[in-house]
Amino acid sequence: MPTLKLHLDDEEFAPVHRLAESLHVRDEDVAYAALNRMMLKQESPDVRADVVYTREWRKTNLPKWGDAARGVHIYESKEDEASELR
């Protein structure tokens, strides 16, 4: 049987895992359901464009549904080191 490997950052895996736990299914079941929904709409120009677009932005960004542990807003909301030393 052929196998697909999906490599996720921790921030991407955590919400998938939480969803799987809440549904009492495996992480793989969530991934397969997402793939199934996308494949059922594969002829849609929007879906096809999204696959190509996602490939590009994923190189440097997290998805909107991912945990924001590395998000820029976290750094922007922190005080400067000089302020923290006062």
Side-chain angles (χ1 to χ4, degrees):
M1 174 185 302
T3 301
L4 289 174
K5 290 185 180 185
L6 178 63
H7 300 275
L8 299 175
D9 290 330
D10 291 338
E11 297 87 355
E12 294 169 316
F13 178 74
V16 172
H17 184 69
R18 285 193 303 269
L19 176 59
E21 282 188 329
S22 73
L23 297 172
H24 306 290
V25 299
R26 297 176 318 178
D27 304 327
E28 294 86 352
D29 297 324
V30 172
Y32 188 85
L35 179 61
N36 183 55
R37 290 183 65 105
M38 195 255 338
M39 292 300 292
L40 291 172
K41 299 178 186 268
Q42 67 176 302
E43 295 304 320
S44 163
D46 289 340
V47 170
R48 297 175 78 79
D50 191 44
V51 170
V52 174
Y53 179 68
T54 300
R55 178 180 180 262
E56 292 305 312
W57 66 250
R58 186 167 185 249
K59 293 175 183 175
T60 57
N61 296 290
L62 289 171
K64 292 179 181 177
W65 50 264
D67 287 351
R70 291 184 291 156
V72 173
H73 66 278
I74 290 173
Y75 298 106
E76 291 176 346
S77 66
K78 291 179 81 174
E79 290 188 39
D80 292 337
E81 286 184 32
S83 300
E84 292 175 2
L85 297 175
R86 290 184 204 159

